[in-house]
Amino acid sequence: MTSDMGALVVITTVPDENLAVKVTESLLQQGLAACVHALPTGWSRYRWQGKIEQSLEITLLIKTSRHCYRELETEILRLHPYDVPEILAFQADTGLPAYLDWIKNETR
């Protein structure tokens, strides 16, 4: 996989399983993700508007190509109920070459 077509792992959290499925299906159907892995529900503690909050959330690990990121981010924002959802992207340019190629071939 060349550097301009590098792989990303994008992390987002959602408040429930219904939204996890909705986000996952939308990203996969649009070719914006090759794979979405949902972790079991866990709690998050965080500061929000000066207060300490706690929520139960599902973490989604989204495997995509760098060139899909902006559209992927836009789609998460469109579907997400939070004012400021967690959306973090990490480069994954080192890994099993066949897996990185699969990500490239399964995203648009």
Side-chain angles (χ1 to χ4, degrees):
M1 182 175 282
T2 62
S3 61
D4 64 326
M5 301 291 279
L8 296 177
V9 175
V10 178
I11 299 172
T12 193
T13 54
V14 294
D16 58 56
E17 189 172 340
N18 288 335
L19 187 57
V21 170
K22 186 174 184 177
V23 169
T24 297
E25 290 303 312
S26 179
L27 296 177
L28 291 173
Q29 288 176 2
Q30 293 183 61
L32 298 175
C35 175
V36 180
H37 181 85
L39 299 175
T41 302
W43 60 266
S44 294
R45 285 188 63 80
Y46 51 92
R47 292 186 53 80
W48 179 248
Q49 299 179 342
K51 297 179 186 173
I52 295 176
E53 304 281 345
Q54 181 169 318
S55 299
L56 292 177
E57 298 178 304
I58 296 170
T59 299
L60 302 179
L61 304 176
I62 304 161
K63 287 70 156 219
T64 189
S65 295
R66 187 176 297 126
H67 67 276
C68 289
Y69 176 77
R70 289 291 169 216
E71 287 181 78
L72 183 143
E73 179 185 87
T74 298
E75 185 63 5
I76 292 171
L77 288 171
R78 183 181 76 78
L79 297 170
H80 214 290
Y82 295 173
D83 292 336
V84 182
E86 175 182 7
I87 304 174
L88 298 171
F90 300 91
Q91 290 182 318
D93 293 333
T94 303
L96 181 67
Y99 191 83
L100 296 175
D101 285 342
W102 171 75
I103 292 173
K104 176 182 166 185
N105 293 332
E106 293 299 325
T107 55
R108 52 182 172 124

